[in-house]
Amino acid sequence: MEENAVGRITEHFGKVSDPRIGNATRHKLLDILVIAICAVICGADGWSDVALFGRSKLIWFKKFLELPHGIPSHDTFGRVFGLIDPEEFRRSFLEWVQAIQKLTKGEVIAIDGKQLHGSRDENNGQAALDMVSAWATANQLVLGQVKVDDKSNEIPAIPRLLELLDITGCLVTIDAIGTQTEIARTIVDQGGDYLLPVKENQGHLYEDLEKLFGIEEQEGFTTPGYTYARKVDDQHGRLEIRECWATSSAECLDYLRGRDNWKALKTLAMIRSERHIGDKVESKTRYFISSAQMNAKVFLKAKRSHWGIENQLHWVLDIAFREDMSRVRKDHAPENLAVLRHMAINMLKQEKTAKVGIQAKRLQAGWDEAYLLKVLAV
C-alpha cells in the first residue's frame, strides 16, 4: 500500500539527477526526496525537523524505501537540497502536477510573486529569494513557480513561468506589474486569455480608460454594449460593495490609443469598491483590460478570484508553513524547499476526506500514517 501511495512521486522525482559523487552517495537520492516530502507534509519546516521526522518514522519508511544506511542527518538533507538543480526539480514538479490534475476550461490562473523573507543573509550579501507562482483558483493547486533573478523584478520571470504551463482555455490574472504588452501576447499565443489591471504608469492607456468611463458615467452608461454587476459582502463588521461596468463595444475599444498593442483585446472594465469599516468609508476606482469577452458579472467574479493566490496560497505558506520564518539559506536549498512546500500544499488541498484546515491536516498526517498515505495518494 505504501509503495502505491508514493509511486507517482517516485515516477516523476526519480528522474532528478543526483548531484553527489563518491562517498557522498551513501544515502539513496530517492530516499532523501521521499522522506523530505513526507516530512514537510507532516509539519517539518527545516532540515533538522525533516531528519527528526525520518528517525521517528524509520520502521514505517523501511516498508518501501531502501535506506541502506538508515535516515540521513539534517546536514545531509541540507547539503543535497542545496545541490539539486532547481530547474530540474521544478520540471519534475510540473510533470507531477500535470499528472495529478487537469484544469477545467475557463479556470482562472492567478500569477503573483512572494518574497521568502527568512532567506535573506545580510552577512553574506544575499538578498531574500523571490518566487513567482501560478495558482489554479478553482482546483486549489500550485501549477508551477520560477525564481526571480537577482537584481531584477517579476516582469522577466512571468513569461518564463507562462512558457512552462498549459494555459489553454484558461483566464490568466496578474497584478499591475504584469500589465505588459509582451506578457499579454504570450498568454494569447499559448491559447489563454488575460485579465490585467491598468494603473497610472500605463500612460495613455490609463488616461483613455479613465476618460472613457468618466464620460460614460456622466451620461449614465447609455452607450450600447455596457453591462453592470454589483456584489455586496458584509462580514466581520466590514461592509464592502463592489460595482463593475464592462464593455466589449467596438466603439469603446477604438477609443483607446495603442489598442492594437494589446493582442486580442476584447473587454474593458471599471470596478469601483466601497469599503465601510465602522464610520470610515474608503472608495477606490480601478480599470482593467481583457482578451476574453465577458459581461460585468463574470468579470467581477474573475477579478475577485485572483486574490485566491493571496488568501489560499501565500497566507497558508506564511501561517501554516511558517515560510517567512525559515532560516534555510544555503545554495539552492531555499528554492527547492519552496517547491517541497508547494507539493505539500497541493497534496493536502486535494485530499478531501478531512474537513479541517491545512495546519490541522499537517498534524493529522504526522500522527496517522493511514491518513498520510491518503495525502500521498492524491
Side-chain angles (χ1 to χ4, degrees):
M1 184 175 180
E2 286 85 354
E3 292 90 337
N4 293 336
V6 299
R8 192 171 278 166
I9 295 173
T10 57
E11 176 186 352
H12 296 288
F13 288 87
K15 303 174 185 177
V16 174
S17 302
D18 194 335
R20 303 167 297 165
I21 57 174
N23 294 332
T25 60
R26 63 195 304 265
H27 295 286
K28 301 289 185 181
L29 179 62
L30 193 56
D31 290 353
I32 292 172
L33 295 177
V34 171
I35 293 169
I37 290 167
C38 291
V40 172
I41 289 170
C42 295
D45 297 320
W47 306 129
S48 294
D49 295 346
V50 170
L52 177 59
F53 178 83
R55 292 194 298 271
S56 301
K57 297 287 186 180
L58 176 60
I59 295 174
W60 184 70
F61 277 125
K62 279 188 172 181
K63 295 179 182 179
F64 56 97
L65 297 180
E66 294 186 37
L67 299 175
H69 299 285
I71 301 297
S73 68
H74 71 277
D75 286 335
T76 298
F77 280 107
R79 184 172 60 254
V80 170
F81 278 96
L83 292 172
I84 288 174
D85 181 353
E87 293 294 333
E88 189 176 7
F89 201 51
R90 277 201 299 273
R91 284 198 299 271
S92 294
F93 174 87
L94 287 164
E95 291 177 6
W96 171 76
V97 170
Q98 292 165 5
I100 68 170
Q101 189 78 51
K102 297 298 181 184
L103 297 180
T104 55
K105 186 176 180 180
E107 176 149 17
V108 175
I109 297 176
I111 293 180
D112 197 16
K114 183 179 186 298
Q115 187 173 85
L116 283 65
H117 295 287
S119 62
R120 179 185 290 108
D121 188 348
E122 294 180 355
N123 292 332
N124 293 317
Q126 178 177 304
L129 176 68
D130 285 289
M131 299 283 285
V132 175
S133 303
W135 175 253
T137 59
N139 283 301
Q140 300 274 289
L141 203 67
V142 184
L143 301 178
Q145 62 290 110
V146 296
K147 176 188 173 184
V148 175
D149 292 336
D150 294 339
K151 299 181 181 179
S152 183
N153 59 31
E154 296 173 18
I155 294 174
I158 292 170
R160 288 193 286 117
L161 176 57
L162 288 168
E163 288 167 4
L164 299 174
L165 306 176
D166 180 4
I167 58 173
T168 306
C170 295
L171 180 66
V172 178
T173 64
I174 316 174
D175 62 15
I177 198 170
T179 306
Q180 309 288 331
T181 55
E182 286 306 312
I183 289 176
R185 185 178 304 278
T186 298
I187 293 169
V188 174
D189 287 347
Q190 291 186 216
D193 283 304
Y194 57 82
L195 190 165
L196 302 171
V198 179
K199 292 195 173 181
E200 289 88 340
N201 60 2
Q202 288 294 330
H204 290 323
L205 181 60
Y206 182 88
E207 292 170 8
D208 291 348
L209 286 169
E210 185 180 42
K211 188 173 181 179
L212 172 67
F213 280 99
I215 293 170
E216 293 293 344
E217 187 170 20
Q218 288 178 355
E219 297 178 354
F221 292 100
T222 55
T223 300
Y226 273 91
T227 57
Y228 170 77
R230 184 173 185 264
K231 184 76 169 62
V232 178
D233 288 326
D234 188 0
Q235 297 179 354
H236 311 296
R238 183 174 66 185
L239 173 67
E240 185 169 2
I241 302 168
R242 293 185 297 278
E243 296 178 285
C244 179
W245 295 263
T247 181
S248 297
S249 160
E251 179 183 351
C252 293
L253 290 167
D254 286 340
Y255 184 82
L256 302 183
R257 288 170 287 179
R259 169 195 171 178
D260 293 338
N261 295 332
W262 299 94
K263 186 167 184 178
L265 178 60
K266 292 187 177 67
T267 303
L268 314 175
M270 178 177 77
I271 296 178
R272 180 166 293 142
S273 302
E274 189 175 279
R275 181 177 297 177
H276 299 251
I277 305 175
D279 296 330
K280 188 177 180 181
V281 179
E282 298 176 352
S283 182
K284 188 173 184 180
T285 300
R286 295 165 294 165
Y287 304 100
F288 301 87
I289 58 175
S290 178
S291 61
Q293 190 159 337
M294 296 180 283
N295 61 36
K297 182 177 180 180
V298 175
F299 205 105
L300 195 59
K301 182 178 180 182
K303 180 63 191 77
R304 189 65 175 171
S305 296
H306 175 80
W307 296 112
I309 194 169
E310 291 285 349
N311 301 330
Q312 296 156 358
L313 176 59
H314 294 168
W315 188 87
V316 170
L317 285 169
D318 283 339
I319 301 303
F321 286 80
R322 302 195 305 166
E323 183 172 69
D324 271 352
M325 302 296 291
S326 175
R327 312 304 288 177
V328 173
R329 296 171 172 175
K330 193 172 181 181
D331 302 322
H332 300 308
E335 194 173 348
N336 288 327
L337 181 55
V339 174
L340 288 178
R341 294 190 195 101
H342 285 173
M343 284 189 69
I345 284 179
N346 282 354
M347 291 182 182
L348 291 163
K349 282 189 173 287
Q350 297 308 301
E351 201 297 301
K352 306 294 186 184
T353 63
K355 307 302 181 183
V356 293
I358 293 296
Q359 196 161 358
K361 283 185 174 183
R362 293 184 85 191
L363 291 172
Q364 185 173 344
W367 293 331
D368 183 351
E369 290 164 5
Y371 180 68
L372 175 55
L373 288 175
K374 287 184 179 181
V375 175
L376 291 169
V378 297

